[in-house]
Amino acid sequence: MTDRIREFLRNRREDGPCLVVDLDVVRDNYLAFAHALPDTRVFYAVKANPAPEVLKLLASLGSCFDTASVAEIEMALAAGATPDRISFGNTIKKERDVARAFELGIRLYAVDCEAEVEKVARVAPGSRVFCRILCDGAGAEWPLSRKFGCDPSLAVGVLEHAHRLGLEAYGVSFHVGSQQRNPRAWDQALASAAGIFRDCAERGIGLSMVNLGGGFPAKYLNDIPAVEAYGSSIFDSLRAHFGNAIPETIIEPGRGMVGNAGVIEAEVVLVSRKSADDVVRWVYLDIGKFGGLAETMEEAIRYPIRTERDGDTLEDCILAGPTCDSADVLYEKTPYPLPVSLAIGDKVLIEGAGAYTTTYAAVAFNGFPPLKAYHI
Amino acid sequence: MTDRIREFLRNRREDGPCLVVDLDVVRDNYLAFAHALPDTRVFYAVKANPAPEVLKLLASLGSCFDTASVAEIEMALAAGATPDRISFGNTIKKERDVARAFELGIRLYAVDCEAEVEKVARVAPGSRVFCRILCDGAGAEWPLSRKFGCDPSLAVGVLEHAHRLGLEAYGVSFHVGSQQRNPRAWDQALASAAGIFRDCAERGIGLSMVNLGGGFPAKYLNDIPAVEAYGSSIFDSLRAHFGNAIPETIIEPGRGMVGNAGVIEAEVVLVSRKSADDVVRWVYLDIGKFGGLAETMEEAIRYPIRTERDGDTLEDCILAGPTCDSADVLYEKTPYPLPVSLAIGDKVLIEGAGAYTTTYAAVAFNGFPPLKAYHI
């Protein structure tokens, strides 16, 4: 919460939940990344929050952009980024989308298998590709599946295939898992990456770049290490595994760039108990899993929630959204402590909501409009 | 799949996934409900698919409408339903939304606690309310939580409170769980409802109506009982628990009304393996959990998927969506058998997709547009 957001909300009159993002916080976050990892290029993960105001600010600060689709590429270009500052970082791309990206000037693509290399080779000739490898994601709060990346043992073959097809085998990427609270989590993946660099070199292919991915956390309920701790830990690992031949590196912060910059204001719609002997209240908000808080899925992300009654006694509640879907429950397995005096009509502030909220909102589930947002 | 949908898709040229709903199937479903439960009024659950074409068709057939928000009420009115054919069935309503509904002529409201009764009494005086009670949901495929409804022991107090505040204590509702495959699942809840009718009568309050809710299944991979089986089983339970004083009843089918009327056409974007010794392929589609298939959450709803290669040998795969979100995986715990010859660029048809797809789609996650839909 910042004074600027507080001031904005004080003057707000309209109905319904809304997200307010303080661009000054985004600016501070960018500068902190640039300072903590001075030799690393920052590719902001557009999917975390693609608001034009955020993209324009970051473009003006010199950021590059990691994009997941042609639409995101177009947004980054519209914000003022040149094509050489944009990567098409999704490993799952239609060939005609790669072709469209190539037309737009994009020359940097993620791949994780030979079939994807072949698409890029056919319609984006001569481009740079980096191969994403699997990473176990231990220590991350948002679940990481095996969806993206190949086993490191396959990566050399994928990069060699790219080289053979006239692409530039540029490097290796990985992702240590979103909301990664362990700054040492990059070490093992960097060891794998260094091994791939050596194996490629033996085959006459000189890799240049390691994409360290995202995973940098936002502050929710628990404290997180400072970005400097990540920077120095990553640098130590780079030196340990690459010695004096430290490669070019990039990072792709999304949550870490915008998460703590945003606050959602919501309203208590109902407080009730289900039976006479229920000890836990149900508290229903006008925002839920389908209105922007999708990351409460499996109760993965636990947002800090402020109320106007925070001095009062706290008591656990089950927190749920406003839709007629029984799955639209935010916190139940681990109930959430909120003031026992919380009442219908009260406003609540959901902090750390700058990332992965607006774009996850459903178009009109139950007739509710998507989350409104203001970037100030 | 119907000939009309097949014909429509044959002529489709644009890119991206789309849903096609055959309105003839919706009409058949409505008539089947009306025939199987001749003494029951049908309140279509608008949230399942609020397309104007669906609402207009059902309004013209004489259907009533169960709505979750003021926006859904407005859609039902725009489709030609009169206010007396619309219920505001969400137990979680802002008081100003109740007031707006009352202005629009709505006189039938769901409640499940005294606080909600008080909102209705203040701004929708004299209206009818029904009290939703909890139901265990055993036999349902989509998880039912305790989010809606109160313990039956509280219902009499809630209805008495309504009566005291000048509302009409109209009846009881419950929901046996979505995609309920056991036609006997209504029996226990009807026993509870009959008890509440007796208890209210003892206090001088004559209830009139039992809202049997939804839960009627759509055909996915497993066979389901015919709607007649539900009709006769429910009628048997009504007779067993209410004797000769069978109350007015309503049902709220959503999935059962539109689920089997829709097919999503999607495209295979990538097929890959993660390591040399992986036995299970990954198949990536251009639609996933955030593009309309939200009901694959926890692999709850398992859609039938047809391909052009259905004669070929089947082999299990992990099925995933196109976004850069590691949670965007459709079927992994129970892998999905698809033709081993399935290739990048192939079209697939996802059947039973007429309910709970379009409106669940995210506004723009990863830059991907929401699911397109055609109602023919």
Side-chain angles (χ1 to χ4, degrees), chain B residues 23-24 26-27 52-63 79:
Chain B
L23 294 170
D24 285 353
V26 179
R27 176 191 308 266
E53 298 91 337
V54 170
L55 301 184
K56 270 180 202 153
L57 168 65
L58 290 173
S60 75
L61 291 170
S63 184

Side-chain angles (χ1 to χ4, degrees), chain A residues 15 96 147 284 325 360 366, chain B residues 15 96 147 284 325 360:
Chain A
D15 188 28
R96 50 193 183 277
K147 183 176 175 187
Y284 301 89
D325 194 310
Y360 265 122
N366 276 219
Chain B
D15 189 28
R96 50 193 184 278
K147 181 177 177 188
Y284 301 90
D325 193 310
Y360 266 123

Side-chain angles (χ1 to χ4, degrees), chain A residues 195-211:
Chain A
I196 295 165
F197 269 61
R198 281 192 298 274
D199 290 349
C200 279
E202 277 172 19
R203 297 173 197 211
I205 300 168
L207 302 180
S208 313
M209 185 275 288
V210 175
N211 178 342

Side-chain angles (χ1 to χ4, degrees), chain B residues 258-342:
Chain B
V258 292
N260 70 337
V263 173
I264 288 173
E265 184 180 67
E267 180 180 331
V268 176
V269 182
L270 184 63
V271 180
S272 68
R273 280 173 210 270
K274 298 295 175 182
S275 74
D277 49 346
D278 262 13
V279 288
V280 178
R281 295 164 294 167
W282 281 73
V283 172
Y284 301 90
L285 302 179
D286 62 356
I287 186 169
K289 224 176 224 171
F290 305 110
L293 302 179
E295 289 208 315
T296 58
M297 206 188 290
E298 295 174 36
E299 309 194 9
I301 296 293
R302 203 163 167 87
Y303 293 99
I305 299 177
R306 309 283 165 225
T307 76
E308 296 154 51
R309 304 180 196 256
D310 278 350
D312 295 358
T313 313
L314 299 177
E315 202 175 76
D316 275 351
C317 66
I318 299 171
L319 202 63
T323 68
C324 285
D325 193 310
S326 49
D328 185 14
V329 174
L330 306 175
Y331 304 117
E332 181 173 18
K333 282 177 235 161
T334 308
Y336 202 103
L338 285 176
V340 67
S341 51
L342 196 71

Side-chain angles (χ1 to χ4, degrees), chain A residues 15-17 47 50 67-69 71-72 75 89-97 112-113 115-116 119 132 134 142-154 267 269-276 278 282 284-286 289-290 294-295 297-298 320-329 332-333 344 347 356 358-368 370, chain B residues 15-17 47 50 67-69 71-72 75 89-97 112-113 115-116 119 132 134 142-154 267 269-276 278 282 284-286 289-290 294-295 297-298 320-329 332-333 344 347 356 358-368 370:
Chain A
D15 188 28
K47 61 183 175 290
T67 62
S69 64
E72 286 194 354
M75 290 183 236
N90 193 340
T91 53
I92 308 155
K93 301 176 289 299
K94 289 182 181 173
E95 187 165 323
R96 50 193 183 277
D97 286 343
D112 68 357
C113 64
E116 196 72 14
K119 293 180 197 167
R132 179 155 169 181
L134 286 164
W142 183 246
L144 190 70
S145 66
R146 285 166 61 86
K147 183 176 175 187
F148 309 104
C150 62
D151 191 88
S153 64
L154 291 188
E267 180 180 331
V269 182
L270 185 62
V271 180
S272 69
R273 281 174 209 270
K274 298 296 173 182
S275 74
D278 261 14
W282 281 72
Y284 301 89
L285 302 179
D286 63 354
K289 224 176 225 172
F290 305 110
E295 290 208 315
M297 205 189 289
E298 296 174 35
T323 69
C324 285
D325 194 310
S326 49
D328 185 14
V329 175
E332 181 173 20
K333 280 177 237 162
I344 293 172
K347 297 284 188 196
Y356 299 115
T358 48
T359 54
Y360 265 122
V363 278
F365 189 53
N366 276 219
F368 292 114
Chain B
D15 189 28
K47 60 184 176 290
T67 62
S69 64
E72 284 194 354
M75 289 183 236
N90 193 341
T91 54
I92 310 155
K93 300 174 289 299
K94 289 183 181 173
E95 187 165 322
R96 50 193 184 278
D97 286 344
D112 69 357
C113 64
E116 196 72 15
K119 293 180 197 168
R132 180 157 168 178
L134 286 164
W142 182 245
L144 190 70
S145 67
R146 285 167 60 87
K147 181 177 177 188
F148 309 104
C150 63
D151 192 88
S153 64
L154 292 188
E267 180 180 331
V269 182
L270 184 63
V271 180
S272 68
R273 280 173 210 270
K274 298 295 175 182
S275 74
D278 262 13
W282 281 73
Y284 301 90
L285 302 179
D286 62 356
K289 224 176 224 171
F290 305 110
E295 289 208 315
M297 206 188 290
E298 295 174 36
T323 68
C324 285
D325 193 310
S326 49
D328 185 14
V329 174
E332 181 173 18
K333 282 177 235 161
I344 293 171
K347 297 284 188 196
Y356 300 115
T358 49
T359 52
Y360 266 123
V363 278
F365 189 55
N366 275 219
F368 293 113

